[in-house]
């Protein structure tokens, strides 16, 4: 049996739509909205262009669904894992975090955890390779790469209030 084909369609100003046709010829779509929410759509079997059911999920709900579908997946924020033991994960800086308004270098992230911050997502903007003098803000999402232990330690540092 061939692997299922996932079609990706950019939706400017909205996000990305992923479409899958199952082996039973059912059309399923997921719209990944820019705000982190997801809309899951299941289409009529006799009319694959007509949506029968639609369900809007928060980012946390989508993460829980991922955990249910892929039990080996341990974190809703996990982006990638390799055979080398490295993971890439999203870690949010809370508005109440002690790092809100402070410099990235003040976290001593690389020294304390061995991880690298490869990008910061702020609203609809991505800031690649932020320097130590980059000022963090509540709501920023940091893309962190390192070992599982290092990324967990980075999350603990960033979560400190």
């Amino acid at each position: 049996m061939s692997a299922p084909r996932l079609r990706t369609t950019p939706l400017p100003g909205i996000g990305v739509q992923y479409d899958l046709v199952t082996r039973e010829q059912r059309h399923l779509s997921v719209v990944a909205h820019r705000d982190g929410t997801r809309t899951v759509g299941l289409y009529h079997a006799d009319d694959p262009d007509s949506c029968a059911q639609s369900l809007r999920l928060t980012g946390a709900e989508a993460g829980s669904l991922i955990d249910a579908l892929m039990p080996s997946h341990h974190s809703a924020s996990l982006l990638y894992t390799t055979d080398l033991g490295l993971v890439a994960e999203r870690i949010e800086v809370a508005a109440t975090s002690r790092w809100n308004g402070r410099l990235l270098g003040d976290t001593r992230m690389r020294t304390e955890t061995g991880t690298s911050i490869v990008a910061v997502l702020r609203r609809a903007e991505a800031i690649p390779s932020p320097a130590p003098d980059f000022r963090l803000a509540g709501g920023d999402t940091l893309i962190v790469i390192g070992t599982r232990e290092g990324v967990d330690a980075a999350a603990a540092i960033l979560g400190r209030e």
Side-chain angles (χ1 to χ4, degrees):
M1 178 190 300
S2 64
R5 183 160 175 233
L6 189 66
R7 187 178 73 216
T8 304
T9 307
L11 302 173
I14 297 170
V16 178
Q17 180 170 331
Y18 301 92
D19 291 285
L20 173 73
V21 176
T22 69
R23 68 184 164 134
E24 296 171 346
Q25 298 303 303
R26 295 297 307 267
H27 176 194
L28 175 72
S29 75
V30 175
V31 175
H33 298 271
R34 290 173 43 172
D35 66 0
T37 61
R38 303 289 188 261
T39 302
V40 180
L42 179 62
Y43 293 77
H44 289 283
D46 59 344
D47 184 359
D49 294 325
S50 176
C51 189
Q53 292 284 327
S54 178
L55 177 63
R56 182 93 171 199
L57 301 172
T58 65
E61 291 165 340
S64 293
L65 182 57
I66 289 169
D67 287 340
L69 293 171
M70 295 183 62
S72 64
H73 176 84
H74 298 294
S75 168
S77 57
L78 183 68
L79 297 171
Y80 187 73
T81 185
T82 70
D83 293 335
L84 300 173
L86 297 176
V87 296
E89 190 164 317
R90 300 171 197 241
I91 301 174
E92 186 173 338
V93 177
T96 57
S97 171
R98 71 180 288 202
W99 305 111
N100 184 3
R102 295 185 59 194
L103 300 178
L104 177 60
D106 291 345
T107 67
R108 298 181 38 85
M109 192 68 59
R110 184 183 298 259
T111 303
E112 298 293 326
T113 69
T115 62
S116 295
I117 311 299
V118 297
V120 175
L121 307 177
R122 181 175 285 166
R123 293 181 289 283
E125 181 183 9
I127 299 116
S129 304
D133 64 349
F134 179 83
R135 192 164 301 278
L136 297 170
D140 283 352
T141 299
L142 281 59
I143 306 300
V144 181
I145 294 181
T147 64
R148 172 79 270 154
E149 297 79 17
V151 171
D152 288 345
I157 287 171
L158 291 169
R160 290 184 192 146
E161 296 181 11

